[in-house]
């Protein structure tokens, strides 16, 4: 029996997918080599025998042996007609009283939440274990488990149609910024085309203690620091904004809230090749002046260090020279370097020559002008200190994107695979 027949035979099992390790064993039993397996799977995918995905990472090692079953599983909770999802006449919900069912519908369509009991009933007609289905839904951003004491609840934002609840929002997010407070806003603008579902997927990745969701919006709080997210259409431009407010003393807390969400937004947008979008940081001074259209600084500043000559204040291009904003509202605070990366940096710094230093910096994404600045700013001519400083600049500039894997890839690209091999060896001692 060949591999294709084995995969088709797996459709008789009450499982949604087969793990790649099992597929490799199946291929081995048919005499298919390790090198030939990716080619065979690619062919099976093209002719519709199977489906597999290159992202997210939780699904990379899964092979869906029945595409139609996968479609049915997604269709069970992702329907273009909301009335078909929760229908009181559906026999699946006979165990729920009419009064309780109205509460279920209200929670689902107005708050975007559903209990595990109702979700299990919703997918009960699919011949797949419910826990397996729910894991799939969480992987593809259809729902996410909500930590509530005494209950198992999932957030499903796809069927929220309520407009922004202004009275409730204004209780936390006043129209005018309080005296002594600042507004920190980051986000992205998209011209021409905005893929559907971006805001809903992003909202599932937000973790705050209190939150209120509506169509194209989210209000939350982490401690005493508020968070407001919106998706708006302004003059044909789609804008996704992530904002927080607080005093200047709380700016680090504000950045700690908005920056991880911004990273998630950029990760989602990067899934769409060719999508034209522009990250931005909004001018806090414009907000304090009551402007509805603040100046938008380049979003790349989020991943850059403040210029060494920067004073504590920055002039907004739309403001008077005397009207300024604090630079901490434009540049995020530097993060402490992870101890494991610190060990990697020390190892790399002792092995890289000046010529390779520039190659490595370029591979890491640092510009030639920035590398020139680092060399000119150096007060220590020793090579290891120069390399370490460059790696530190990369870490601070790219923040969460500066990872062990990116460093290893850059070393290979710079022609220093020998150092990359050393890092991989050191990984056995838990550097990674």
């Amino acid at each position: 029996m060949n591999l294709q027949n084995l995969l088709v035979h797996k459709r008789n099992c009450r499982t949604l997918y087969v793990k790649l390790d099992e597929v490799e064993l199946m291929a081995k039993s048919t005499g298919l080599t390790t090198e030939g397996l990716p080619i065979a799977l690619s062919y099976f995918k093209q002719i519709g025998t199977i489906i597999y995905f290159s992202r997210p990472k939780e699904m990379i090692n899964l092979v869906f042996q029945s595409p139609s079953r996968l479609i049915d599983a997604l269709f069970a909770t992702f329907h273009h007609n909301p009335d078909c999802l929760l229908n009181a006449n559906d026999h699946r919900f006979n165990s729920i009283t009419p009064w309780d069912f109205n509460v279920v519908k209200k929670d689902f369509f107005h708050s975007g939440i559903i209990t595990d009991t109702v979700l299990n009933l919703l997918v009960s007609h699919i011949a797949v274990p419910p826990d397996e289905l729910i894991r799939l839904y969480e992987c593809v951003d259809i729902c996410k488990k909500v930590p509530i004491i005494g209950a198992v609840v999932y957030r499903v934002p796809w069927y929220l149609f309520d407009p922004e609840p202004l009275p409730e929002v204004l209780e936390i997010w006043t129209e005018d910024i309080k005296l002594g407070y600042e507004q920190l806003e980051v986000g992205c603008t998209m011209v021409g085309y905005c893929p559907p579902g971006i805001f809903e997927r992003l909202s599932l990745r937000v973790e705050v203690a209190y939150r209120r969701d509506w169509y194209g919006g989210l209000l939350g709080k982490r401690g005493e620091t508020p968070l407001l997210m919106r998706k708006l259409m302004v003059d044909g431009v789609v804008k996704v904004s992530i904002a927080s407010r607080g005093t200047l003393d709380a700016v680090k807390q504000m950045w700690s809230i908005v920056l991880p969400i911004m990273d998630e937004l950029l990760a989602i947008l990067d899934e769409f090749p060719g999508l034209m979008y522009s990250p931005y940081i909004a001018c806090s001074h414009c907000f304090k002046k009551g402007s509805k259209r603040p100046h938008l600084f380049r979003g790349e500043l989020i991943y850059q260090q403040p210029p060494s000559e920067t004073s504590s204040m920055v002039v907004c291009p739309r403001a008077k020279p005397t009207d300024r904003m604090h630079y901490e509202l434009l540049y995020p605070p530097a993060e402490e370097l992870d101890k494991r990366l610190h060990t990697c940096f020390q190892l790399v710094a002792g092995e890289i020559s000046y010529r390779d230093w520039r190659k490595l910096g370029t591979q890491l994404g640092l510009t030639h002008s920035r590398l020139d600045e680092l060399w000119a700013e150096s007060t220590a001519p020793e090579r290891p200190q120069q390399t370490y400083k460059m790696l530190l600049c990369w870490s601070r500039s790219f923040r969460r994107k500066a990872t062990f894997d990116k460093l290893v890839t850059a070393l290979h690209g710079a022609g220093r695979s020998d150092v990359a091999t050393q890092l991989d060896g050191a990984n056995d001692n838990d550097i990674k």
Side-chain angles (χ1 to χ4, degrees):
M1 185 178 290
N2 60 34
L3 180 59
Q4 184 178 4
N5 290 337
L6 288 173
L7 288 169
V8 171
H9 182 70
K10 276 288 182 179
R11 295 177 182 177
N12 298 326
C13 302
R14 289 188 72 252
T15 58
L16 193 59
Y17 53 80
V18 181
K19 292 186 177 180
L20 188 58
D21 293 343
E22 186 177 351
V23 175
E24 290 173 350
L25 291 176
M26 293 163 60
K28 188 176 180 180
S29 70
T30 63
L32 188 63
T33 64
T34 304
E35 293 77 14
L37 179 58
I39 300 173
L41 292 179
S42 176
Y43 172 72
F44 297 156
K45 181 179 180 181
Q46 290 179 26
I47 64 176
T49 302
I50 62 170
I51 292 180
Y52 61 87
F53 302 93
S54 59
R55 65 168 75 91
K57 62 181 181 180
E58 294 84 359
M59 295 178 65
I60 291 175
N61 294 319
L62 305 180
V63 175
F64 297 86
Q65 72 273 25
S66 176
S68 60
R69 186 181 299 173
L70 174 61
I71 292 172
D72 289 340
L74 296 174
F75 197 66
T77 56
F78 213 123
H79 202 289
H80 67 279
N81 187 355
D83 293 332
C84 292
L85 282 176
L86 295 176
N87 190 326
N89 297 321
D90 193 320
H91 67 89
R92 290 175 295 176
F93 306 119
N94 288 343
S95 60
I96 304 177
T97 65
W99 188 89
D100 286 338
F101 195 76
N102 287 331
V103 174
V104 167
K105 293 185 68 174
K106 182 179 179 181
D107 287 343
F108 187 72
F109 292 116
H110 298 282
S111 300
I113 58 175
I114 189 171
T115 65
D116 64 328
T117 302
V118 178
L119 185 55
N120 285 335
L121 291 173
L122 194 60
V123 300
S124 59
H125 64 291
I126 306 295
V128 176
D131 58 336
E132 191 174 302
L133 279 175
I134 294 172
R135 282 199 300 271
L136 169 68
Y137 296 155
E138 291 188 284
C139 283
V140 298
D141 290 332
I142 288 179
C143 69
K144 185 174 183 181
K145 191 174 182 178
V146 181
I148 296 179
I149 299 175
V152 180
V153 175
Y154 291 88
R155 191 175 303 283
V156 184
W158 299 91
Y159 301 98
L160 292 169
F161 300 108
D162 289 349
E164 181 171 327
L166 280 176
E168 190 173 341
V169 171
L170 291 175
E171 287 183 11
I172 297 176
W173 197 273
T174 57
E175 191 169 348
D176 297 322
I177 301 176
K178 296 179 182 179
L179 184 64
Y181 277 63
E182 305 283 352
Q183 178 167 325
L184 172 62
E185 179 181 307
V186 299
C188 285
T189 58
M190 285 156 274
V191 180
Y193 173 70
C194 175
I198 281 179
F199 189 86
E200 288 78 8
R201 292 180 60 193
L202 181 63
S203 70
L204 283 173
R205 304 184 186 188
V206 175
E207 296 183 3
V208 285
Y210 161 84
R211 65 185 287 164
R212 174 73 163 89
D213 294 77
W214 62 91
Y215 177 71
L218 184 160
L219 176 69
K221 288 185 76 174
R222 185 176 296 172
E224 295 301 316
T225 307
L227 166 72
L228 181 64
M229 294 170 50
R230 287 185 175 123
K231 176 188 173 185
L232 302 170
M233 174 75 77
V234 181
D235 296 336
V237 177
V238 176
K239 178 182 177 184
V240 177
S241 62
I242 308 159
S244 184
R245 284 181 179 176
T247 62
L248 196 57
D249 293 337
V251 68
K252 190 171 183 179
Q253 170 71 2
M254 293 156 64
W255 276 115
S256 71
I257 293 175
V258 304
L259 203 55
I261 302 174
M262 182 65 170
D263 287 340
E264 294 290 351
L265 174 59
L266 294 176
I268 292 173
L269 295 178
D270 284 342
E271 295 177 9
F272 300 90
L275 179 65
M276 297 182 64
Y277 64 89
S278 300
Y280 73 84
I281 309 173
C283 174
S284 64
H285 176 77
C286 291
F287 287 124
K288 294 174 76 172
K289 288 292 186 180
S291 174
K292 300 298 182 183
R293 294 193 176 185
H295 174 71
L296 304 181
F297 292 94
R298 292 182 299 109
E300 289 82 359
L301 297 177
I302 293 175
Y303 299 102
Q304 296 179 9
Q305 289 181 281
S308 56
E309 68 275 7
T310 296
S311 65
S312 61
M313 305 301 286
V314 178
V315 178
C316 170
R318 294 187 182 179
K320 300 176 183 178
T322 54
D323 295 333
R324 305 188 176 199
M325 60 179 284
H326 201 280
Y327 83 95
E328 289 183 346
L329 294 164
L330 193 59
Y331 295 93
E335 296 177 343
E336 293 185 7
L337 183 64
D338 187 287
K339 290 182 179 179
R340 294 168 296 179
L341 275 180
H342 171 75
T343 305
C344 294
F345 289 179
Q346 287 182 320
L347 191 155
V348 173
E351 300 291 335
I352 299 298
S353 65
Y354 170 68
R355 183 179 62 182
D356 294 333
W357 177 86
R358 296 192 70 90
K359 286 183 180 179
L360 178 60
T362 303
Q363 289 291 324
L364 289 171
L366 297 174
T367 63
H368 290 291
S369 59
R370 185 58 182 137
L371 292 171
D372 290 338
E373 290 173 4
L374 288 171
W375 188 262
E377 293 169 2
S378 175
T379 57
E382 293 85 356
R383 173 171 49 85
Q385 284 86 341
Q386 279 282 28
T387 303
Y388 185 86
K389 185 176 180 180
M390 181 265 289
L391 293 171
L392 189 62
C393 175
W394 167 67
S395 174
R396 289 176 175 172
S397 298
F398 290 86
R399 305 175 72 84
R400 293 176 66 187
K401 295 182 180 180
T403 63
F404 176 90
D405 291 336
K406 291 284 180 64
L407 178 57
V408 170
T409 301
L411 284 166
H412 284 297
R416 293 306 305 266
S417 297
D418 57 324
V419 183
T421 302
Q422 288 185 52
L423 281 186
D424 281 329
N427 178 45
D428 295 334
N429 295 321
D430 199 28
I431 281 185
K432 190 173 181 180

